[in-house]
Amino acid sequence: MSEKAALRRQLLAARTVLTSNDVQEAAAVLADAALNLPELRRAWTVAAYVSTGSEPGTRALLDVLRERGVRVLLPVLLEDNDLDWAAYEGAERLVRAGRGLLEPAGPRLGVDAVLEADTVLLPGLAVDVRGMRLGRGGGSYDRVLARIVRAGHDPALVVLLYANEVVERVPEEPHDHPVHAVVTPEVTLRFRA
């Protein structure tokens, strides 16, 4: 088993012991902290995702951003694991998709729609003290980040995590990109201006 796979397994196991109350309480604190980030206060367009299961919650955050008039883009998983995007039009317009995900029911905007985002909220399992992110291993967000880099776009990259998911070191590969900030219920850490 690779070092990344072992760390993923450990972190996912820790999430399985969280109660739905733990997840909801953390989500409320995360939403408040994230909404105070300058990167989100100034954003006109935010690419985000709908949290599922015991992931750090994003749903309250999505609704408040939308209420503020921010255009929120959500991913639509394609067959090749790349991500298309669609506008978030409220929880009632989310539909069940593969892998237990929820996706917007509205029109697809194309894989390059993420290039319109001022801030990208990335899902993750861990971020280390250098800002390196560990995802789930499907490669979807590696493609998104590579697309952003190729386009010369520089949105703020932010990850929402639980406190135990900020680790000393995440195994890194050449295609991995550091994030700008991580928000946990306890602290917000920044990694570069």
Side-chain angles (χ1 to χ4, degrees):
M1 177 183 308
S2 75
E3 197 177 352
K4 276 189 174 183
L7 183 55
R8 280 187 188 103
R9 182 183 297 184
Q10 173 191 340
L11 294 165
L12 287 168
R15 284 185 180 179
T16 64
V17 301
L18 295 172
T19 66
S20 59
N21 194 47
D22 293 335
V23 174
Q24 288 174 354
E25 287 178 10
V29 175
L30 283 166
D32 286 344
L35 289 165
N36 285 317
L37 288 174
E39 294 88 343
L40 286 176
R41 283 199 315 265
R42 292 189 303 250
W44 292 100
T45 300
V46 173
Y49 61 97
V50 181
S51 57
T52 59
S54 60
E55 277 187 303
T58 62
R59 294 182 194 207
L61 177 59
L62 300 177
D63 288 332
V64 174
L65 287 170
R66 187 168 171 261
E67 289 165 13
R68 286 183 178 179
V70 175
R71 182 176 182 230
V72 178
L73 302 177
L74 296 177
V76 176
L77 187 64
L78 299 173
E79 285 186 24
D80 66 355
N81 277 349
D82 205 347
L83 298 177
D84 198 338
W85 299 88
Y88 177 57
E89 298 171 336
E92 68 283 354
R93 296 271 299 140
L94 294 174
V95 295
R96 292 240 166 255
R99 299 185 190 175
L101 300 175
L102 290 172
E103 298 176 345
R108 305 305 183 236
L109 304 172
V111 295
D112 288 334
V114 70
L115 301 177
E116 300 168 23
D118 305 299
T119 299
V120 179
L121 292 180
L122 300 163
L125 292 175
V127 169
D128 71 18
V129 296
R130 304 166 300 156
M132 298 307 294
R133 171 188 153 272
L134 177 69
R136 287 191 175 251
S140 298
Y141 280 90
D142 292 331
R143 293 179 191 195
V144 169
L145 293 170
R147 186 172 288 119
I148 288 169
V149 169
R150 276 193 312 271
H153 188 47
D154 190 27
L157 304 175
V158 178
V159 181
L160 306 180
L161 295 175
Y162 298 111
N164 66 301
E165 297 170 344
V166 177
V167 299
E168 189 64 32
R169 185 180 161 276
V170 164
E172 173 185 350
E173 296 178 46
H175 64 266
D176 291 331
H177 297 275
V179 299
H180 297 95
V182 60
V183 179
T184 75
E186 291 79 11
V187 68
T188 296
L189 301 172
R190 295 184 177 284
F191 304 105
R192 65 181 176 115

